[in-house]
């Protein structure tokens, strides 16, 4: 028996993460917003808010609605644009010892490639997450993520312009997510993020209007976790790529579900809004779990789902 | 710098109806919190409702490391907070946001509150008092039952002008009516500077009044807020300074909640008053 703490570090598509906890895109701003509130160096990594070539206003308000154990959002990818991010934000993030992934968006296949090309020379980028699954924009986004041929085309186009690890973020709003995972793998993806938000809607019955100005929105939070765990398991069986499991993680047991289902690491999303201290709580919980199970390394948990034979 | 802490309720005072004054221990909010700033707070460890809620800081006690909130229990989150008993926990991040700007020596600070929008003005009265300035507070509601936070102002000797839409207490009519009556009497002779907190239509009315009379005014906006730190982008409001061609969405949590009233693009308007005047 060793008395040293168990290893939490993982390798994700060639990127070394000091632990498997990564802040999810759209729930952590550009990372720098949390400077002074939490120690960014404690995170395995973070994924930036989605970025286009140019700044975007995003959607009208209201943009958020709480639902049972969940959050419905239609922000619409408000953002500063990739050049401002590379110029103003990346140097600040370089002060923190954490892996920085950039969420790449586009209205067209060309724009995805253009954004990736801008980042190719930017220092301090660990990898690119390709956003083909935002349900809250009219062009691009989900339009690329719910057609396997389009998914392949976007990933292949970005693959041509970058040597960086490429991680498409899959949409759950499809009938067979494994098909999309395979399309990404065929097009040269290095990893997958699984999943983005579920398309949803909430209605104010007094006014008979949608609670969100955009009408529909993306559902996140603990409410979607069973769906996300199931899809992570399906994707892990379909492809050999490392997976970021994402969907309603707010404690160590939640994170462990995804790892056991086959995710190499996980992303924390809506829980960031609830408690900036969530990372420390999950890290403590993961260590406790490993010790309790006599394990020395978090990688010993990955893909260990046991399915009892039916009798 | 905002600090995230598990805090404990140390005192609860039930006012009339759904109104409560809650006291929590949080050293950083107690020592660094300024009038107009807020905290994001959620009762206990319960999963529901998912998000914390924003509340203006009502009062601070740096010596004791405590602060107070004025809460109206109207929804799931506020009811859970007001159901806390002393000794029970909550999760709190603060202080957050941009505070009100202090008035100049030749300005008369007029604090205009609608309903539970009174919250930041107790702390502001104390801050002004510490600088030897007495604020005048206008406190309006639909009925007398909505004006539950009167006693602390009386105890501090702060002039409080009450108004009710139904005439059940104080000036009969809107809070802006009571304010205009004071302005028409010439105030205290100094240049008036307005500070307002309350429902959007009231803030819009105060902004319009200020624009009409050429007065400086700051408003504290209270849009639906998710995170409090500028990452969820849920609380954005349309803001346009005099030099700006068009409005931009600004986070009320980090770039507000206090804004220059002339920079706000109010619902139904195409531009802000500042941008309109600059053309």
């Amino acid at each position: 028996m060793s008395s040293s703490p168990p290893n939490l570090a993982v390798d994700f598509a060639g990127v070394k993460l000091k632990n498997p906890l990564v802040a999810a895109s759209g729930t952590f701003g550009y990372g720098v917003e949390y400077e002074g509130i939490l120690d960014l160096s404690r995170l395995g990594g973070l994924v930036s808010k989605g970025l286009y070539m140019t700044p975007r206003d995003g959607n009208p308000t209201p943009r958020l609605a709480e639902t049972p154990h969940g959050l419905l959002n239609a922000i619409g990818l408000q953002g500063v644009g990739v050049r401002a991010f590379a110029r103003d934000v990346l140097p600040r993030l370089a002060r923190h010892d954490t892996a920085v992934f950039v969420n790449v968006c586009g209205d067209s296949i060309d724009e995805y490639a253009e954004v990736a090309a801008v980042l190719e020379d930017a220092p301090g980028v660990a990898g690119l997450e390709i956003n083909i699954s935002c349900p809250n924009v009219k062009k691009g986004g989900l339009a690329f993520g719910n057609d396997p041929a389009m998914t392949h085309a976007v990933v292949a186009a970005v693959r041509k312009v970058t040597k960086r690890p490429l991680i498409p973020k899959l949409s759950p709003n499809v009938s067979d997510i494994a098909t999309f995972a395979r399309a990404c793998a065929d097009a040269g993806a290095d990893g997958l993020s699984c999943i983005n938000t579920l398309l949803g809607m909430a209605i104010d019955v007094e006014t008979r209007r949608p609670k969100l100005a955009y009408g529909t929105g993306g559902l996140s939070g603990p409410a979607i976790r069973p769906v996300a765990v199931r899809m992570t398991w399906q994707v892990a069986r379909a492809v050999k790529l490392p997976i970021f499991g994402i969907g309603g993680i707010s404690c160590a047991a939640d994170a462990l579900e995804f790892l056991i289902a086959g995710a190499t690491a996980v992303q924390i999303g809506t829980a960031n809004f609830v408690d900036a201290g969530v990372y420390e709580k999950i890290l403590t919980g993961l260590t406790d779990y490993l010790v309790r199970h006599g394990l020395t390394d978090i990688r010993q948990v990955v893909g260990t789902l046991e399915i009892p034979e039916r009798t | 710098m905002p600090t995230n802490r598990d805090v404990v309720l140390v005192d609860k005072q039930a006012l009339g109806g759904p109104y409560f004054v809650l006291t929590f221990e949080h050293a950083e909010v107690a020592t660094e919190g300024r009038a107009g700033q807020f905290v994001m707070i959620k009762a206990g460890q319960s999963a529901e409702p998912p998000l914390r809620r924003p509340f203006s800081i009502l009062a601070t006690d740096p010596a004791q490391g405590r602060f107070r909130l004025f809460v109206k229990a109207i929804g799931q989150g506020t009811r859970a907070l007001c159901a806390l008993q002393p000794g029970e926990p909550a999760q709190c991040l603060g202080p957050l946001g941009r505070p009100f700007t202090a008035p100049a020596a030749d300005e008369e600070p007029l604090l205009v509150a609608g309903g539970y929008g009174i919250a930041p003005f107790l702390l502001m009265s104390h801050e002004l008092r510490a600088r030897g300035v007495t604020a005048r507070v206008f406190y309006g509601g639909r009925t007398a039952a909505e004006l539950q936070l009167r006693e602390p102002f009386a105890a501090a000797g702060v002039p409080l002008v009450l108004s009710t839409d139904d005439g059940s207490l104080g000036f009969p009519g809107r809070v802006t009516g009571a304010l205009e009556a004071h302005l028409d009497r010439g105030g205290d002779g100094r240049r008036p500077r307005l500070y307002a907190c309350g429902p959007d239509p009231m803030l819009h009315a105060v902004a319009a009044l200020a624009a009409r009379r050429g007065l400086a005014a700051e408003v504290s906006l209270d849009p639906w807020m998710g995170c409090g730190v500028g990452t969820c982008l849920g609380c954005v409001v349309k803001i346009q300074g005099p030099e700006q061609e068009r409005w931009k969405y600004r986070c009320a949590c980090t770039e507000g909640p206090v804004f220059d009233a002339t920079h706000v693009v109010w619902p139904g308007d195409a531009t802000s008053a500042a941008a309109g005047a600059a053309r």
Side-chain angles (χ1 to χ4, degrees), chain A residues 26-29 33-34 36-37 49 57 59-61 63-64 66 68-71 75 78 273-277 281, chain B residues 1-2 4 6 42 47-53 91 93 224-227 229-234 236 246-247 249:
Chain A
T27 64
F28 209 67
E33 293 88 340
Y34 281 98
I37 297 175
K49 176 85 183 150
D57 285 337
N59 290 329
T61 57
R63 294 169 162 191
L64 295 178
E66 262 180 321
H69 295 273
L71 180 63
I75 306 301
Q78 177 179 337
F273 300 151
V274 183
D275 182 9
K281 290 171 185 169
Chain B
M1 201 47 103
N4 189 41
D6 290 335
K42 172 176 164 169
E48 288 285 276
L51 299 174
R52 298 184 188 190
R53 298 284 186 270
Q91 302 167 294
L93 174 66
W224 213 96
M225 197 174 278
C227 71
V229 296
T231 62
C232 78
L233 305 179
V236 294
R246 68 184 283 273
W247 56 264
Y249 275 130

Side-chain angles (χ1 to χ4, degrees), chain A residues 35-306:
Chain A
E35 282 178 336
I37 297 175
L38 58 83
D39 179 1
L40 293 175
S41 299
R42 294 286 292 162
L43 276 59
L46 62 89
V47 190
S48 78
K49 176 85 183 150
L51 291 160
Y52 289 88
M53 284 305 291
T54 52
R56 307 265 288 215
D57 285 337
N59 290 329
T61 57
R63 294 169 162 191
L64 295 178
E66 262 180 321
T67 58
H69 295 273
L71 180 63
L72 197 62
N73 90 81
I75 306 301
L77 293 170
Q78 177 179 337
V80 298
V82 68
R83 288 203 179 89
F85 172 80
R87 185 188 62 228
D88 303 332
V89 182
L90 279 176
R92 278 178 71 184
L93 286 176
R95 298 201 295 255
H96 306 281
D97 178 23
T98 196
V100 175
F101 297 87
V102 182
N103 185 279
V104 173
C105 301
D107 279 343
S108 64
I109 291 177
D110 286 349
E111 186 172 11
Y112 281 98
E114 235 183 310
V115 172
V118 169
L119 294 165
E120 195 61 6
D121 299 323
V125 177
L128 307 181
E129 181 173 76
I130 311 303
N131 188 347
I132 49 171
S133 44
C134 178
N136 300 324
V137 290
K138 292 207 164 56
K139 287 192 285 183
L142 190 50
F144 293 112
N146 61 11
D147 174 340
M150 290 293 280
T151 294
H152 187 282
V154 171
V155 176
V158 179
R159 179 76 286 168
K160 273 188 197 155
V161 300
T162 184
K163 295 185 185 61
R164 296 192 191 283
L166 207 56
I167 307 153
K169 187 168 185 176
L170 299 174
S171 172
N173 304 303
V174 296
S175 54
D176 178 24
I177 196 165
T179 306
F180 292 83
R182 285 188 211 100
C184 290
D186 290 346
D190 302 296
L192 294 167
S193 290
C194 178
I195 55 177
N196 207 319
T197 54
L198 280 153
L199 191 56
M201 189 175 195
I203 296 170
D204 180 331
V205 296
E206 298 303 320
T207 62
R208 302 189 188 191
R209 290 180 175 184
K211 287 189 177 175
L212 301 181
Y214 190 71
T216 57
L219 181 63
S220 65
I224 73 165
R225 198 173 62 243
V227 177
V229 170
R230 182 263 295 178
M231 289 188 155
T232 297
W233 176 65
Q234 289 177 317
V235 169
R237 292 202 303 174
V239 296
K240 294 226 177 319
L241 302 177
I243 301 165
F244 279 128
I246 317 168
I249 297 172
S250 59
C251 68
D254 299 347
L256 285 160
E257 278 198 67
F258 285 90
L259 298 178
I260 292 167
T264 296
V266 297
Q267 293 183 9
I268 313 298
T270 305
N272 289 313
F273 300 151
V274 183
D275 182 9
V278 69
Y279 294 92
E280 294 302 332
K281 290 171 185 169
I282 297 178
L283 287 173
T284 302
L286 289 179
T287 298
D288 289 350
Y289 177 87
L290 293 175
V291 169
R292 190 155 50 82
H293 285 262
L295 303 172
T296 56
D297 194 313
I298 192 73
R299 291 170 296 186
Q300 291 169 299
V301 174
V302 172
T304 56
L305 181 71
E306 293 187 20

Side-chain angles (χ1 to χ4, degrees), chain B residues 268-279:
Chain B
D269 292 350
T271 64
S272 69
R279 300 266 145 79

